Amino acid sequence: MKAPAVIAPGILVLLFTLVQKSYGECKEALVKSEMNVNMKYQLPNFTAETPIQNVVLHKHHIYLGAVNYIYVLNDKDLQKVAEYKTGPVLEHPDCFPCQDCSHKANLSGGVWEDNINMALVIDTYYDDQLISCGSVHRGTCQRHVLPPSNTADIQSEVHCMYSPQADEERGQCPDCVVSALGTKVLISEKDRFINFFVGNTINSSYHPDHLLHSISVRRLKETQDGFKFLTDQSYIDVLPEFRDSYPIKYVHAFESNHFIYFLTVQRETLDAQTFHTRIIRFCSVDSGLHSYMEMPLECILTEKRRKRSTREEVFNILQAAYVSKPGAHLAKQIGANLNDDILYGVFARSKPDSTEPMNRSAVCAFPIKYVNEFFNKIVNKNNVRCLQHFYGPNHEHCFNRTLLRNSSGCEVRSDEYRTEFTTALQRVDLFMGQFNQVLLTSISTFIKGDLTIANLGTSEGRFMQVVVSRSGSSTPHVNFRLDSHPVSPEAIVEHPLNQNGYTLVVTGKKITKIPLNGLGCEHFQSCSQCLSAPPFVQCGWCHDKCVQLEECPTGTWTQEICLPTIYEVSPTSAPLEGGTMLTVCGWDFGFRRNNKFDLKKTKVLLGNDSCTLTLSESTTNMLKCTVGPAVNEHFNISIIIANGRGTAQYSAFSYVVMLHLSILAML
């Protein structure tokens, strides 16, 4: 085609505008189409005077264990209905736990200490009662009997759970339960008795008279004024010479079938500088802990590289854990049954030779039946050794002895002894590296239909909900800033199968009640995101907004198709001879089918002429196409995007006559 003789003013463009770099293109359009993660939600919450450590739920009341306080809230709107002050407490070496030491306030050696809530549990076997264990009074506990007529009453009947020991027991302190350095307590009813399973972090700062144990099982006495050990082997301790160099952090405890489990973070060996995560298992009826075993757990991310090699990244430090059943989809993917217990864990990469986590996280699911099978499979092989931090390297168990045992059941013999497995049970990150720039600090799960949904919290106070699946990475359908404090690992999910199901989330001094059925739909800013939300959230597209069905006039709400939206085009001009790479920014360009986006049906038209799409460089937010030569002398034309179900139009595009650079220089 012959170029016009006269060049219209205003259509001259500089050459460099036609060869813009693709780096950073469509960023603004991408932001406008992404979920609004800055939305604010009005949710029921309560703020305590001091940081909250523990939370339990019982008969429509929420009990909070905080520094120096126990609070009772109603479960509807989290209004405070009662509180009980537990500290500060005057600690004195000559003062026993149940004594009033206020008269020793002026004596040397007396110190006022804050009472940090280390354990909070509900027992309903004897009476309905709340048992609270604090960091003061040698780690002893109190029980608050809850009257049937008013379970919020935690003040009327409070008993100290400490009994002075008889002479023959003076070397023990079964009533010294928890450590101020960190503890996990699990209670279980066995044979008409209440057993307390306790894991404690201990070091040399503890006075020998306190006699706290690393792992122990004790029974609540029928008089309920304290505890007793059933045998002199009902506890295991890190040897004194290793207590400062080999700390054990107890992260989570749970019971499944006939076993008790603890999850820990500790050094890989006595001499190692590196840390890893372990799972501990022993039989719930084994009061002598003869069935005690430990094994490393690893949450890994594998990355395929060139030449078929793979890079394996281990997320070594467990941050939080939760045990529940899987939904049908996830159960099938991980080879589990619907009634199987699944251990979900959020793991972080630690800084070198440290337990301090970096902002790199992964989520793994361990079916408990696989954990048990792994214990049973490797038990008689060469990767079994004795627990040197409990026995010492020169103990008879640690050399010249074959480490054989029966680990498949709970039949234990008194000559069996505790063992450590050196082979780690590995699982792969369920989200394939999606959280590699964030520190996850909390996890809980629930089921909706066939789906497994995870509640995730972060170190920056964000709360997210996301579908757990191994087939393709799911993006969170809820993601908002809950608080400025990290989300606590202590989380409760209540009524997960009901419409009014909720989770309780703790951040610093604050607890918030968050509905499980989502927080509405308006945080989805594009149609495709709106329609990709899980079905139970019930979001649809209505008049350029994402809403729930009841918020949209009948007949205009859709959950099926999305029409494309053009935000901007670059460049806005192209030479008559064609060949320019055109970038179209916007959203919902892909044809949607079964939550998957396909660009094969997407076309870009300049007027009636096709702009050849480069699929390898195009996404649902950005289309790259090559402009063809102009076929007529009409300069201003429309760009039309068609995706198989609808079209979008953008009018600010024109063909221009390009002058030679030497001519441009003379103008």
Side-chain angles (χ1 to χ4, degrees):
M1 173 189 144
K2 188 178 178 183
V6 179
I7 302 173
I11 62 172
L12 287 174
V13 292
L14 295 176
L15 186 62
F16 66 81
T17 64
L18 300 179
V19 290
Q20 290 180 339
K21 299 290 185 183
S22 62
Y23 176 76
E25 288 180 298
C26 297
K27 272 189 175 181
E28 195 171 339
L30 184 61
V31 169
K32 285 186 175 293
S33 68
E34 284 183 333
M35 183 191 304
N36 181 2
V37 296
N38 296 315
M39 283 196 73
K40 305 292 184 184
Y41 297 96
Q42 295 299 318
L43 296 167
N45 65 83
F46 169 76
T47 301
E49 293 286 328
T50 55
I52 300 166
Q53 283 84 41
N54 291 295
V55 53
V56 292
L57 192 61
H58 178 62
K59 292 185 179 178
H60 303 294
H61 284 115
I62 299 161
Y63 302 85
L64 303 180
V67 176
N68 296 331
Y69 290 92
I70 298 174
Y71 297 95
V72 186
L73 317 177
N74 69 45
D75 67 349
K76 184 178 180 182
D77 55 6
L78 272 56
Q79 292 297 303
K80 182 177 74 173
V81 293
E83 74 176 39
Y84 181 86
K85 208 163 187 309
T86 62
V89 168
L90 181 68
E91 295 274 67
H92 192 278
D94 298 333
C95 206
F96 286 102
C98 293
Q99 289 180 319
D100 178 9
C101 293
S102 57
H103 62 282
K104 300 188 182 224
N106 296 324
L107 299 180
S108 63
V111 180
W112 287 96
E113 297 280 2
D114 284 331
N115 191 0
I116 303 168
N117 187 264
M118 305 307 300
L120 194 69
V121 296
I122 291 284
D123 166 40
T124 58
Y125 184 73
Y126 291 106
D127 303 291
D128 280 12
Q129 56 186 356
L130 179 74
I131 297 177
S132 169
C133 312
S135 58
V136 299
H137 290 327
R138 306 185 190 180
T140 54
C141 307
Q142 287 183 321
R143 61 187 189 93
H144 304 251
V145 178
L146 308 175
S149 59
N150 181 15
T151 53
D153 182 3
I154 57 172
Q155 300 192 48
S156 297
E157 192 177 346
V158 183
H159 303 277
C160 178
M161 303 177 73
Y162 178 81
S163 307
Q165 300 302 301
D167 288 342
E168 66 272 12
E169 297 175 324
R170 206 165 284 281
Q172 298 182 353
C173 182
D175 298 331
C176 300
V177 179
V178 299
S179 165
L181 300 175
T183 189
K184 285 296 163 190
V185 175
L186 183 71
I187 70 167
S188 177
E189 187 219 324
K190 295 294 173 193
D191 301 325
R192 297 176 289 109
F193 291 103
I194 301 298
N195 288 340
F196 274 56
F197 302 95
V198 184
N200 279 324
T201 302
I202 57 177
N203 66 15
S204 60
S205 67
Y206 274 94
H207 192 273
D209 289 346
H210 286 203
L211 291 173
L212 287 172
H213 302 290
S214 298
I215 282 276
S216 60
V217 51
R218 69 198 75 206
R219 178 169 293 172
L220 179 61
K221 292 195 290 192
E222 293 180 70
T223 54
Q224 299 189 75
D225 58 350
F227 302 88
K228 63 180 178 181
F229 295 121
L230 297 184
T231 76
D232 60 0
Q233 294 188 326
S234 293
Y235 43 84
I236 316 173
D237 298 322
V238 173
L239 293 173
E241 58 265 36
F242 303 129
R243 288 182 187 174
D244 292 332
S245 62
Y246 196 82
I248 301 176
K249 179 182 179 182
Y250 293 85
V251 180
H252 191 71
F254 64 96
E255 183 176 9
S256 179
N257 294 324
H258 304 298
F259 292 105
I260 302 294
Y261 300 84
F262 282 87
L263 295 162
T264 68
V265 170
Q266 58 199 84
R267 294 189 189 276
E268 292 187 7
T269 65
L270 277 179
D271 302 321
Q273 296 301 307
T274 51
F275 290 81
H276 67 174
T277 299
R278 292 191 192 181
I279 187 166
I280 294 166
R281 190 192 80 171
F282 54 89
C283 297
S284 59
V285 296
D286 177 15
S287 58
L289 296 173
H290 299 292
S291 57
Y292 182 101
M293 295 185 286
E294 294 186 3
M295 176 174 66
L297 288 185
E298 287 185 351
C299 187
I300 64 171
L301 175 64
T302 57
E303 178 186 325
K304 290 186 178 179
R305 304 171 77 97
R306 293 179 181 177
K307 299 181 181 179
R308 299 183 181 178
S309 66
T310 59
R311 184 176 71 90
E312 184 177 281
E313 186 175 9
V314 179
F315 294 79
N316 56 317
I317 304 296
L318 180 70
Q319 298 296 299
Y322 192 79
V323 176
S324 62
K325 311 296 183 187
H329 285 171
L330 182 64
K332 185 176 181 181
Q333 291 171 350
I334 63 176
N337 297 318
L338 296 181
N339 290 323
D340 287 347
D341 281 338
I342 310 296
L343 168 63
Y344 301 94
V346 292
F347 295 76
R349 291 264 297 173
S350 73
K351 294 181 179 178
D353 301 338
S354 167
T355 58
E356 186 180 349
M358 298 189 292
N359 290 343
R360 288 183 68 79
S361 301
V363 181
C364 284
F366 298 84
I368 298 303
K369 68 177 182 181
Y370 289 171
V371 173
N372 293 333
E373 287 173 5
F374 204 73
F375 269 125
N376 301 339
K377 181 172 66 176
I378 67 173
V379 70
N380 291 328
K381 297 186 178 178
N382 293 328
N383 45 17
V384 181
R385 65 186 178 201
C386 82
L387 290 153
Q388 294 192 1
H389 50 286
F390 289 144
Y391 288 119
N394 298 321
H395 193 279
E396 61 173 323
H397 290 334
C398 295
F399 62 94
N400 294 333
R401 187 165 176 181
T402 305
L403 292 163
L404 299 177
R405 62 181 305 160
N406 171 26
S407 66
S408 60
C410 275
E411 304 80 22
V412 293
R413 304 191 311 267
S414 60
D415 63 339
E416 289 187 340
Y417 51 93
R418 299 105 185 193
T419 52
E420 169 192 340
F421 301 106
T422 56
T423 301
L425 174 57
Q426 292 185 331
R427 302 294 283 183
V428 177
D429 177 19
L430 290 166
F431 294 100
M432 296 178 288
Q434 183 180 156
F435 298 109
N436 63 2
Q437 292 183 322
V438 65
L439 175 57
L440 296 176
T441 56
S442 175
I443 185 169
S444 61
T445 67
F446 61 99
I447 298 169
K448 286 293 179 182
D450 291 337
L451 300 178
T452 307
I453 314 296
N455 300 314
L456 300 174
T458 77
S459 61
E460 296 181 337
R462 283 203 162 269
F463 175 84
M464 296 178 282
Q465 282 185 348
V466 59
V467 176
V468 182
S469 174
R470 289 189 66 178
S471 57
S473 61
S474 305
T475 55
H477 56 271
V478 171
N479 183 349
F480 70 101
R481 184 76 172 269
L482 184 61
D483 200 351
S484 59
H485 297 280
V487 178
S488 167
E490 302 299 318
I492 287 182
V493 173
E494 183 68 1
H495 308 305
L497 301 179
N498 299 345
Q499 282 295 109
N500 60 348
Y502 62 90
T503 180
L504 296 173
V505 181
V506 173
T507 49
K509 300 177 183 179
K510 183 178 175 183
I511 183 169
T512 306
K513 179 181 178 181
I514 303 175
L516 297 181
N517 279 351
L519 294 164
C521 305
E522 290 186 26
H523 52 284
F524 299 117
Q525 298 186 113
S526 70
C527 174
S528 56
Q529 274 203 331
C530 179
L531 304 195
S532 297
F536 71 90
V537 182
Q538 295 189 321
C539 290
W541 196 247
C542 176
H543 298 306
D544 296 326
K545 281 202 315 184
C546 190
V547 298
Q548 292 181 315
L549 180 57
E550 61 269 18
E551 301 173 67
C552 184
T554 307
T556 58
W557 193 69
T558 178
Q559 282 190 302
E560 295 179 6
I561 61 171
C562 290
L563 302 181
T565 300
I566 301 175
Y567 179 69
E568 63 180 350
V569 173
S570 177
T572 56
S573 304
L576 296 171
E577 60 267 23
T580 299
M581 178 68 79
L582 191 69
T583 300
V584 182
C585 301
W587 46 89
D588 300 334
F589 291 150
F591 171 70
R592 182 178 186 276
R593 175 177 286 160
N594 298 328
N595 279 337
K596 295 182 179 178
F597 292 89
D598 186 0
L599 288 168
K600 291 176 183 176
K601 290 181 179 278
T602 298
K603 296 179 180 178
V604 181
L605 300 174
L606 301 178
N608 295 321
D609 302 318
S610 176
C611 184
T612 306
L613 197 63
T614 306
L615 285 173
S616 61
E617 296 185 45
S618 298
T619 68
T620 56
N621 262 96
M622 179 177 69
L623 300 178
K624 292 276 192 179
C625 67
T626 304
V627 176
V631 295
N632 55 50
E633 297 184 2
H634 296 289
F635 291 108
N636 295 318
I637 57 177
S638 295
I639 295 178
I640 299 171
I641 307 295
N643 69 352
R645 291 294 180 93
T647 62
Q649 188 167 312
Y650 188 87
S651 297
F653 182 81
S654 58
Y655 278 105
V656 298
V657 176
M658 296 302 300
L659 297 180
H660 192 275
L661 283 177
S662 59
I663 299 176
L664 282 174
M666 293 186 293
L667 293 177

